[in-house]
Amino acid sequence: MYDVVIIGAGPGGYAAALYAHNFGLNVALVEKDDRVGGTCLNRGCIPAKHWLHTAEVFTTVQTAGTFGVEAGEPSLNWSTALARKDEIVNGLTRGLAGLLKARGAEIINGFGRLDGPGKVVVDTPDGPRTLEGRTVIVATGSAPRTIPGYEFDGQTIVSSREALDWETQPQRVAIIGAGAIGCEFASLLADVGSEVYLFELLDQIVPGADTDASKELTKNLKRHGVKIHTATQVGPPQRTDGGVVVPYGDKSVEVDVVLVAVGRKPLTDGIGLESVKAEVERGFVHVDLETMQTAEPGVYAVGDIVAGTPQLAHAGFAEAIAAITHIATGTPQPVDYRAIPLVVYTHPEMASVGYTETQARERGLDVEVTTHGFTAVSRAKIIGQNRGLVKIIAEKDGPIVGASIVGPQAGEMIHELMYAVGWEALPSEAAAFIHAHPTLSEAVGETLLSASGRSLH
Ligand code: NAI
């Protein structure tokens, strides 16, 4: 009998297995793939960030002349970049498997499904095996979804999964959906010279993002060559000898490949949730957010399958910690969803935490909004990336409730505002600390100072 049987070794599942070690829990980690790490490590966040970094190196070389460094016109050796992606992913998955073993988790290869509370049947290569657990954590993750007419064929209509493994650079790409995935691919492909068309149904890219931040990112992506069509519905694709024709409005565009990035669906079919009292709605599992426990005592769910929480690897980590803490101590230690940062790793990056201005106003908060650009930030000027903005939303005479940054290293800088939102700091309290000069973070420091009613530059 295990203390915990975990189904799925992605960020939710592997984090639960690792964290369980702190409490000396006896863990079985069931994984259907032949390697641990799930979507994030094998076919999501990590390989995507590799490709974005490749694009960044490419543009750095392309603009090197501006800095007096004569490097010539860069050319991208796609297969070398692809091999480096595999090398990074393989190294990290091997390292993770080693760490899990070192922490005493037993990794069991095979498809696992619940067979009543506390029982998981695994189809291992050697036949079915039944595991008994005092508790079970379901962390089976998600998969790309698509829209009618755009069924994935792995060649001309693909998801991010295949796009991360393209063997050659596509010259003309249509991307459907301008969420995090669509924007990141648009950014990297345009930067390395592909022709990119980005279609979004709603009226701004990254629809959940702050409107000003989204506008700023739109301007920057357009400057990098992405052709953005918001509030646009694409028609059924037509395959041609040259590729695929994507109709939109009264126009159409012919591309080599279509990347569909319209969201991800939870992977909860066939995993036996009906054998327990868990409540499932459109594939998402409802949990008590205090403990991550489903309606079946002792059965928990974490990560992308959880109803109503963000589909982010780091949210999965946090949910795993909450579930294990409850299993080990019986005391709830809920995730603080107010201050989970969201980073879109485009060039420039866009990052946010807490409420957007719209969300704050919709909640009836009387807010004050302060924005600051990067134009005069000396470090940004030195690195030739002084486009972007910092936007801080604070309650009138009250704490900071949200922030967005578009600009270089936005994904790193957002973390100081994460603390501000999490600790409900007043702008004046946060502004009392001094930022080093010259740094990119000074953009945040200046915004905090302005938000507290004073300003320097
Ligand atoms: P998403 O839900 O973030 O964005 C999908 C976009 O597609 C939305 O803007 C939606 O309005 C649009 N859309 C839907 N139907 C459409 C249609 N018929 N035509 C045009 N546009 C349409 O999903 P995405 O980008 O696929 O990412 C999946 C999940 O993974 C999200 O939860 C996302 O936050 C997460 N993720 C996070 C990353 C990050 O934090 N950097 C990176 C990649 C994914």
Side-chain angles (χ1 to χ4, degrees), residues 421-446:
V421 171
W423 286 335
E424 300 179 9
L426 300 174
S428 58
E429 287 171 326
F433 297 101
I434 298 146
H435 286 74
H437 176 73
T439 56
L440 295 171
S441 306
E442 279 180 296
V444 175
E446 292 276 354

Side-chain angles (χ1 to χ4, degrees), residues 45 48-49 142 145 147 175-184 199-202 204-208 232-234 260-264 304 310-312 314 341-345:
C45 330
K49 264 80 265 179
S142 62
R145 60 182 194 84
I147 52 173
I175 300 177
I176 303 176
I181 295 182
C183 287
E184 288 180 2
F199 296 101
E200 169 56 50
L201 196 57
L202 301 180
Q204 68 170 41
I205 64 168
V206 197
T232 302
Q233 189 153 15
V234 293
V260 185
V262 296
R264 298 180 60 87
D304 284 6
Q311 285 182 313
L312 298 170
H314 46 289
L342 173 68
V343 182
V344 183
Y345 296 82

Side-chain angles (χ1 to χ4, degrees), residues 50-51 54 58 74-84 166-169 192:
H50 153 80
W51 283 112
T54 298
F58 188 89
S75 75
L76 177 55
N77 185 328
W78 192 272
S79 45
T80 304
L82 179 62
R84 185 162 190 274
W166 276 327
E167 284 179 359
T168 53
Q169 178 179 350
V192 296

Side-chain angles (χ1 to χ4, degrees), residues 338-339 353-357 359-361 365-368 392-396 398-403 417 420-422 424-425 427:
R338 289 172 315 126
V353 66
Y355 294 147
T356 63
E357 181 180 348
Q359 287 167 341
R361 293 195 194 284
L365 300 181
D366 186 8
V367 291
E368 280 186 347
I392 290 179
I393 296 118
E395 280 190 64
K396 205 166 190 302
I400 297 168
V401 294
L417 292 164
V421 171
E424 300 179 9

Side-chain angles (χ1 to χ4, degrees), residues 293-360:
Q293 197 163 212
T294 66
E296 177 73 56
V299 176
Y300 295 73
V302 301
D304 284 6
I305 63 169
V306 175
T309 68
Q311 285 182 313
L312 298 170
H314 46 289
F317 292 155
E319 290 169 353
I321 289 173
I324 289 293
T325 305
H326 187 249
I327 289 168
T329 68
T331 309
Q333 189 190 293
V335 176
D336 188 350
Y337 290 100
R338 289 172 315 126
I340 294 188
L342 173 68
V343 182
V344 183
Y345 296 82
T346 40
H347 297 140
E349 295 177 349
M350 175 164 80
S352 61
V353 66
Y355 294 147
T356 63
E357 181 180 348
T358 311
Q359 287 167 341

